[in-house]
Amino acid sequence: MSVDVPTQPLVLKDRFKQGLAAPICLTWELTYACNLACVHCLSSSGRRDPNELTTAEAMGVIDEMAALQVFYVNVGGGEPMVRADFFDLLSYAVGRKVGVKFSTNGTRISAPRAQQLAAMDYVDIQISVDGADAPTNDAVRGEGSFAAARRAMDNLAAAGFGQFKISVVMTRQNVPQLDALAGLAEHYGAQLRLTRLRPSGRGADTWEQLHPTAAQQRDLYHWLIDRPDVLTGDSFFHLSALGDPLEGLNLCGAGRVVCLIDPVGDVYACPFVIHDEFLAGSVRDRGGFAEVWAHSPLFEELRSPQSAGACASCGSFDACQGGCMAAKFFTGLPLDGPDPECVLGHGETALAALGAHAPLPSVRTDHSRAVQVRLGRKG
């Protein structure tokens, strides 16, 4: 990864706020097609977009990543393994020394595919589950999805893949299962990765039912403090206002150290804000991804000093940095306002001031299939 050297010494966090010459983590949704219909899907996946990048175009994007020395690309969807050229693209990236971490529901990881993956270098796999048991998981991800994910884990273990990751979106239904989820990871010699639920995509419709309570947020914080080996991808930096900071950068990296390429090549500041207000450009534009990353007016604005806004008078701002941009945007709060899940309660107050009928941003596109899995009544 190429990093510009500042003329004056800077704290690492301050340097990252100004942006880097290449993203640390580039998230790339290869397709909107998905064989599941998770009720919290941030990209409202289901149907393939007919305008998604071709194999040749996707390989061109990989060439750009290699030239920029992107450390690794986080591939997702949709379900990336439903693309017919998935293994072609995976092999091409590995051949160009671009590391690939891909997130999957596991339904396509058969025993032969697990052996194929185990034979590849520079590949990391995240199996998504949202509960430590079938009832909890399947209420969110669909009937039979937990069993399918466990089969994928069994196949990877049998193939000698090594340490894969188990990725969990935290909800009020699965917070009580934290120890059980850690036990599931330990059973496979896997690494547990917890991420925050955002109210984007279909998650906007289910956020009120799914997002953890204030008490659960505190429980999660203390649980993570005691387990620094559990990965979070800086999902929970809003919790750092409770005390000692969690492991990681503890800041919003949108347009600074992370961004998203969607299946049709559009580049967004953050994987959780697929919306026109955060559209920076397209890899199909002249100059490709490198031009968007280096010169997008949106990215330049995000890399400039930001106002603390409504949080300026709060003594915890340096710890939580005002929270998550996506969570604020899709709940109707201003970007310089408090996080809707502010642990000091400021977000709850701000949401109440908006009122129940405040207009909310709509998703840019909805690729959901006509028949969706419905949220169960459990919990």
Side-chain angles (χ1 to χ4, degrees):
M1 178 183 66
S2 175
V3 179
D4 292 333
V5 178
T7 55
Q8 297 294 328
L10 288 172
V11 175
L12 187 60
K13 181 183 288 190
D14 293 334
R15 181 67 190 91
F16 283 5
K17 285 182 180 179
Q18 296 178 8
L20 302 178
I24 290 177
C25 175
L26 172 58
T27 297
W28 187 5
E29 294 187 344
L30 284 183
T31 184
Y32 283 122
C34 191
N35 53 344
L36 298 185
C38 303
V39 299
H40 58 12
C41 179
L42 64 92
S43 56
S44 301
S45 291
R47 294 174 288 110
R48 174 183 175 270
D49 192 307
N51 197 37
E52 71 183 24
L53 297 175
T54 65
T55 302
E57 287 177 314
M59 288 181 175
V61 173
I62 293 169
D63 288 337
E64 286 199 76
M65 295 180 195
L68 286 169
Q69 299 180 46
V70 171
F71 184 59
Y72 73 89
V73 58
N74 188 13
V75 168
E79 170 51 51
M81 292 188 73
V82 304
R83 269 193 69 139
D85 60 358
F86 173 75
F87 277 91
D88 294 331
L89 296 177
L90 189 60
S91 297
Y92 189 76
V94 169
R96 298 285 280 126
K97 299 295 189 291
V98 175
V100 176
K101 176 193 296 181
F102 75 92
S103 299
T104 174
N105 57 40
T107 56
R108 298 297 181 96
I109 300 184
S110 61
R113 286 304 195 193
Q115 293 171 357
Q116 186 177 358
L117 290 165
M120 303 179 75
D121 294 325
Y122 306 112
V123 174
D124 191 14
I125 300 174
Q126 294 184 163
I127 306 292
S128 296
V129 296
D130 290 323
D133 53 42
T136 307
N137 175 86
D138 291 5
V140 173
R141 305 187 63 82
E143 185 177 354
S145 58
F146 186 75
R150 290 296 301 265
R151 283 195 299 271
M153 296 179 203
D154 290 339
N155 289 336
L156 289 172
F161 177 83
Q163 189 182 55
F164 56 86
K165 293 178 175 61
I166 297 176
S167 183
V168 184
V169 176
M170 297 311 301
T171 66
R172 69 181 58 181
Q173 288 77 15
N174 64 29
V175 167
Q177 299 181 331
L178 282 167
D179 288 339
L181 289 165
L184 179 64
E186 184 179 2
H187 171 76
Y188 285 103
Q191 192 163 22
L192 184 62
R193 184 177 189 270
L194 306 183
T195 60
R196 183 182 178 185
L197 175 72
R198 268 80 167 195
S200 55
R202 288 197 293 269
D205 297 326
T206 56
W207 190 74
E208 288 292 346
Q209 298 159 283
L210 292 179
H211 79 96
T213 66
Q216 288 178 326
Q217 299 266 7
R218 290 191 292 272
D219 290 344
L220 174 60
Y221 167 78
H222 292 294
W223 193 88
L224 288 171
I225 283 289
D226 290 340
R227 295 164 181 82
D229 56 322
V230 173
L231 303 177
T232 65
D234 282 305
S235 286
F236 303 104
F237 60 91
H238 69 295
L239 299 181
S240 291
L242 289 169
D244 293 333
L246 296 171
E247 291 291 317
L249 290 175
N250 284 302
L251 60 82
C252 174
R256 298 160 168 170
V257 297
V258 301
C259 69
L260 168 91
I261 300 175
D262 82 349
V264 300
D266 288 339
V267 182
Y268 294 88
C270 168
F272 306 106
V273 283
I274 304 175
H275 189 279
D276 285 349
E277 287 198 30
F278 300 94
L279 177 61
S282 171
V283 300
R284 285 170 163 158
D285 293 341
R286 184 174 180 178
F289 173 76
E291 177 67 20
V292 177
W293 179 258
H295 301 297
S296 160
L298 172 64
F299 287 175
E300 290 177 351
E301 179 183 353
L302 289 170
R303 294 164 189 169
S304 64
Q306 303 292 308
S307 167
C311 298
S313 61
C314 179
S316 298
F317 177 76
D318 286 344
C320 76
Q321 296 291 307
C324 174
M325 178 175 72
K328 288 186 271 192
F329 180 73
F330 284 112
T331 52
L333 296 175
L335 298 187
D336 63 353
D339 189 290
E341 294 182 299
C342 168
V343 296
L344 302 180
H346 300 310
E348 185 177 353
T349 301
L351 287 172
L354 284 178
H357 303 291
L360 299 177
S362 59
V363 295
R364 186 185 186 199
T365 54
D366 190 338
H367 297 272
S368 302
R369 296 191 298 274
V371 179
Q372 293 297 324
V373 177
R374 299 301 176 190
L375 183 65
R377 298 181 64 85
K378 183 180 187 300

